Amino acid sequence: MMQLNQVIKGLKLLVVLLFTTNMFSQDVIVHDPVVIKQNDTYYMYCTGRGIDAFSSKDLKDWKKLPAVFLEKPIWTDKVVSDFNNHIWAPDISFHHNKYYLYYSVSAFAKNTSAIGLTINTTLNPEDENYKWEDQGIVIQSVPNRDMWNAIDPNLVFDDNNTPWLSFGSFWNGLKLVKLNSDLTSVAQPEEWFTIAKRERSFDLKDSNPGDAALEAPFIFKKNGYYYLFLSWDLCCRREKSTYKAMVGRSKNVTGPYVDKDGKNLNNGGGTLLIQGDENWYGAGHNSVYTFDGKDYIFYHAYDANDRAIPKLQVSELEWDADLWPVLKNQIK
C-alpha cells in the first residue's frame, strides 16, 4: 500500500512537472505579473510587499530581487490609513530611456485607491545608477465621489504616440484616461473613456464594489488592432477563485472594443481566452508582450496541487485566421 501511494504521488508530481514544462510555468509565487526585458535579462514585477521583483535569463528560472520599495511611499498613508506597504498590480514600461513603474495603493473591496508612479534609469539592482524615484499620485479615487476604482494601471501609446492609462475594477467599469507627455499626470483638458463594463445591480450603494466583476485591463497593439485583455469574476480566493481572462479589440485605443461575436465590451462583451480547471483555479490578471519576435502572455493561477497557492503561468500566444489570440498551451 505504501509503494502504491508512492507511485501515485510520483505520477501526480510528473503531471505537474509536464504541465510546468509545457506552460513555461514556475513554482514562483506571484500575483498580477508584468514583465520587461533589459539587455539579456527579463525583469518581472508583481503585487507584494513593496512590489515583488524577479529576474530571469530565459523566462523559466527566476531569481528573487529586492523589493522596489523597501519603505512605503511617504504619501500612501494619506490614501489608505495604516498602509503596510502591500502594493498591488504594477505596470512596467520603457520610454525616453527611463523605466516607468505604475502601481496601485488600495483598501481591499473599496475604491479608497490611488495609482502611483516611480521611475528608474535601470532595472539591475547591481548597477550603480539603480535608484527608484517616486513621483507620487497620478490618479486617485474617493468613495462616494467616484464610481470607478484607481487600481490595476496599464500604460499604452496610441499610433500618434499619445500616452493613455487604462485602469479599474468593478463599479462602473474599466477606464482610460489621456496622460501628459511626462507620463506623471492627467492631460488637460481631461479625456476619459469607459472601455469595458458589465451590468451592475442598480440597488447597490455607490460605496459597494458591486457584482459587475471585471478588472485588470491590459492593452496590446498587434495586427492593426488594440487588443484589450481583462479579467472577469473573482480573484484572491484560492480554491474559490473564479478569475478568467477575456479579450476584445478595437481599431482605436479609446474603443469601442468588441469581442469575437461583435458584442461591445461596454455591454458585457468579451471573448474567453483563459480559465481555470481542476488543476489550476482562477487564472487571470494577465500581461502581454513581444519578446524576440514571439508573443507571450503572463498571468497567475492558483495551484490545486499545492494548497491553491498563486503561481506564475507563461504561454506563447498565436493568432488565428481572424487575428484573435489563442494560447499555444491552454490550461484546458
Side-chain angles (χ1 to χ4, degrees):
M1 189 65 169
M2 185 177 293
Q3 287 181 333
L4 179 59
N5 287 338
Q6 288 176 336
V7 170
I8 293 173
K9 199 171 182 180
L11 287 173
K12 286 183 177 179
L13 177 60
L14 179 60
V15 169
V16 173
L17 288 173
L18 286 172
F19 181 87
T20 297
T21 301
N22 289 334
M23 293 297 295
F24 301 100
S25 281
Q26 331 298 314
D27 276 335
V28 180
I29 299 173
V30 301
H31 247 275
D32 320 325
V34 293
V35 180
I36 197 167
K37 190 176 185 182
Q38 179 184 349
N39 299 326
D40 64 347
T41 303
Y42 299 94
Y43 292 89
M44 177 169 64
Y45 300 93
C46 335
T47 291
R49 193 81 63 191
I51 305 178
D52 285 342
F54 300 83
S55 67
S56 173
K57 296 291 187 181
D58 58 6
L59 297 178
K60 297 179 182 180
D61 297 314
W62 293 91
K63 173 186 175 184
K64 188 75 187 297
L65 301 176
V68 171
F69 291 106
L70 300 182
E71 301 290 339
K72 63 188 176 184
I74 58 175
W75 56 267
T76 53
D77 279 330
K78 294 179 181 179
V79 175
V80 181
S81 60
D82 300 320
F83 184 68
N84 60 5
N85 204 25
H86 190 259
I87 298 176
W88 299 356
D91 180 70
I92 184 72
S93 298
F94 184 69
H95 186 64
H96 287 165
N97 297 315
K98 293 182 180 180
Y99 294 92
Y100 290 76
L101 184 65
Y102 293 91
Y103 58 92
S104 311
V105 169
S106 184
F108 192 79
K110 297 181 180 180
N111 63 339
T112 307
S113 309
I115 292 169
L117 170 66
T118 187
I119 298 174
N120 207 332
T121 57
T122 179
L123 301 179
N124 182 2
E126 297 178 3
D127 190 311
E128 62 179 11
N129 296 313
Y130 178 86
K131 181 182 179 182
W132 288 105
E133 296 183 345
D134 194 51
Q135 308 298 305
I137 297 174
V138 179
I139 299 171
Q140 182 174 359
S141 56
V142 178
N144 299 311
R145 185 195 73 178
D146 303 311
M147 284 296 289
W148 44 269
N149 193 15
I151 66 169
D152 298 355
N154 171 241
L155 178 69
V156 63
F157 291 87
D158 66 19
D159 291 333
N160 297 317
N161 207 35
T162 301
W164 298 84
L165 195 70
S166 64
F167 62 92
S169 73
F170 288 74
W171 277 275
N172 276 346
L174 308 183
K175 306 300 178 181
L176 182 78
V177 65
K178 183 189 287 188
L179 297 182
N180 283 314
S181 58
D182 62 7
L183 307 184
T184 65
S185 56
V186 174
Q188 301 294 327
E190 295 188 10
E191 293 188 43
W192 292 73
F193 296 87
T194 299
I195 53 176
K197 184 167 62 173
R198 301 175 76 184
E199 186 174 356
R200 173 186 169 93
S201 295
F202 72 91
D203 57 345
L204 297 174
K205 293 181 179 180
D206 288 355
S207 59
N208 190 320
D211 47 6
L214 77 172
E215 58 189 15
F218 193 97
I219 298 175
F220 178 68
K221 293 165 65 175
K222 180 83 176 182
N223 305 321
Y225 289 99
Y226 297 90
Y227 291 87
L228 172 58
F229 296 85
L230 66 158
S231 294
W232 276 14
D233 300 334
L234 303 177
C235 85
C236 316
R237 288 160 175 80
R238 300 274 184 165
E239 67 277 359
K240 295 182 180 179
S241 299
T242 55
Y243 236 18
K244 53 184 67 70
M246 313 294 289
V247 66
R249 71 186 184 189
S250 174
K251 286 289 188 178
N252 300 303
V253 72
T254 57
Y257 290 87
V258 299
D259 65 16
K260 204 169 185 177
D261 297 323
K263 187 173 182 179
N264 194 315
L265 267 62
N266 272 339
N267 295 323
T271 297
L272 178 66
L273 180 64
I274 307 168
Q275 65 179 342
D277 62 9
E278 65 276 9
N279 292 314
W280 295 91
Y281 308 121
H285 204 119
N286 71 266
S287 57
V288 181
Y289 309 94
T290 301
F291 293 129
D292 300 322
K294 294 182 179 180
D295 297 327
Y296 294 91
I297 186 167
F298 299 77
Y299 57 99
H300 72 253
Y302 300 87
D303 190 345
N305 297 295
D306 189 9
R307 299 163 289 153
I309 292 173
K311 295 183 180 179
L312 173 65
Q313 306 293 303
V314 187
S315 180
E316 286 186 46
L317 275 183
E318 295 181 320
W319 305 86
D320 68 17
D322 295 317
L323 303 180
W324 285 95
V326 180
L327 267 67
K328 276 191 174 181
N329 301 294
Q330 288 184 307
I331 283 181
K332 189 175 182 179

